[in-house]
Amino acid sequence: MLNDESVLIPFHTSVLPDGPWLIFAPHPDDETFGMGGSIIKAQEQGIDVHLVILTDGSLGGDSTNLAETRKREAERVSEILGVKSLSFWGEPDRALDKNQITIQHACRQILETKPATVYFPGPLEIHPDHRTTAFLVWEALQRAREHNFFPEPISYEISVQSPVNMLINISDQIKKKQQAMDLYVSQNIQNNYSELVLALDKGRTFTLPTEVKFAEGFFRYQSKDLDLGLREMAKLVIDLYL
């Protein structure tokens, strides 16, 4: 017998996970498109948010000095979102590599920041940098356990709906999220990303009460899930649908 819908998606929203938060974003804008409403809500509730942007985003358009432009955009957006600290790794766009250096870099960031919750893109995202970020952060979290540090791992959606088990109500934050998304001018001239993200956030209310107008979706992992590789874990999640 197949699982009931309630096994596959929540029918209620959740309170925000504990802070501080450490968010790993593959490109400048992914943090905002993916979970900007939740970041704003965290700031409103006094939760410190630390953001790491892994690549320079230099292939996200045809403008000259695009990497610098996107960096400036991210800095302005971070002020709106209320991000406490912002770091840029400057890895090459569309060539992010999960290797011993990037994994160790992420592990060091986790151990130095000491977050209660670590966010990373879902492993079923389309863009290769998104998926690479998921896998390298997962392994960094596994290494952090060797140092007796156990933050909660949570993946977030960016460009597609993925399996989720936590929905955050961002109805009150959606206007400010829209303002933040609009500041990524270099990307919005490539496509109507703000409109697309709003549609995704509206779609996440499908199983929620009518008063919830917009929501962001996440997958909240258990600590024991880190005993497995992310590839194996993702297959177990997919099996819930079959």
Side-chain angles (χ1 to χ4, degrees), residues 22-26 30-31 34-35 51-52 54 106 110 117-125 129-142 151-158 162 217-222 225-226 230 233-234:
L22 175 58
I23 301 170
F24 288 91
D30 289 329
E31 79 296 328
M35 55 179 294
L51 173 61
V52 176
L54 279 68
I110 292 168
T117 307
V118 173
Y119 292 88
F120 52 92
L124 300 183
E125 280 285 319
D129 286 344
H130 295 193
R131 285 176 274 129
T132 300
T133 300
F135 281 94
L136 76 86
V137 173
W138 188 268
E139 291 196 27
L141 285 163
Q142 291 176 321
E152 183 174 21
I154 300 180
S155 63
Y156 63 97
E157 301 177 312
I158 301 172
S162 297
F218 301 83
F219 197 94
R220 197 170 195 168
Y221 295 91
Q222 300 180 53
D225 294 336
L226 287 166
L230 184 55
M233 188 64 220

Side-chain angles (χ1 to χ4, degrees), residues 2 8 28 31 35 55 73 76 90 110 114 137 184 188 204-205 208 241:
L2 293 178
L8 304 178
E31 79 296 328
M35 55 179 294
T55 76
E73 289 174 343
R76 290 195 295 271
I110 292 168
K114 294 182 170 55
V137 173
Y184 280 114
N188 291 323
R204 272 306 178 202
T205 67
L208 299 176
Y241 292 78

Side-chain angles (χ1 to χ4, degrees), residues 5 23 27 37 56 59 68 100 135 145 147 193 221:
E5 301 99 315
I23 301 170
H27 312 97
D56 60 13
L59 297 182
E68 184 59 30
Q100 294 304 310
F135 281 94
R145 297 200 305 173
H147 296 268
Y193 288 118
Y221 295 91

Side-chain angles (χ1 to χ4, degrees), residues 23-29 31 51-57 70-71 74-75 78 86-91 184:
I23 301 170
F24 288 91
H27 312 97
D29 72 18
E31 79 296 328
L51 173 61
V52 176
I53 298 177
L54 279 68
T55 76
D56 60 13
R70 295 188 72 178
K71 181 179 180 180
E75 289 170 343
S78 294
L86 174 62
S87 303
F88 296 94
W89 283 12
E91 293 290 322
Y184 280 114

